Amino acid sequence: NGQISLMLSTNGRAIMNQINFKNEISTELRDDASFSIYLLAMYLRNNPNKKFYIISHVAKGKDLGKDIALSEARAQVIVD
């Protein structure tokens, strides 16, 4: 929670590199992503007035539409 606050106050964003998915085309989180998601949830719970965007990046594939859909689906997994 403190780390997220520091990143937000310093950079205006928090990059959560520890939230990863099983593979390049998966929407299933790796087991080691749980702690980072927990920290993010605690930050949001302690700062209910803050608005947050969750952005997911994917490796560039052959179909931009599928890449965008995967990115959106991954972001939704974090929200859920």
Side-chain angles (χ1 to χ4, degrees), residues 3-36:
Q3 181 184 14
I4 293 173
S5 294
L6 178 62
M7 286 189 285
L8 289 172
S9 64
T10 303
N11 304 318
R13 66 181 181 270
I15 298 172
M16 309 292 289
N17 291 323
Q18 301 82 10
I19 300 176
N20 294 301
F21 294 84
K22 297 267 183 177
N23 59 51
E24 290 182 5
I25 59 171
S26 178
T27 58
E28 186 178 351
L29 288 164
R30 287 181 16 181
D31 293 336
D32 58 358
S34 298
F35 185 67
S36 293

Side-chain angles (χ1 to χ4, degrees), residues 42-59:
M42 291 299 98
Y43 174 82
L44 293 172
R45 179 177 289 158
N46 293 330
N47 298 278
N49 60 327
K50 299 288 184 181
K51 293 187 180 191
F52 218 84
Y53 289 97
I54 297 182
I55 301 168
S56 171
H57 297 278
V58 297

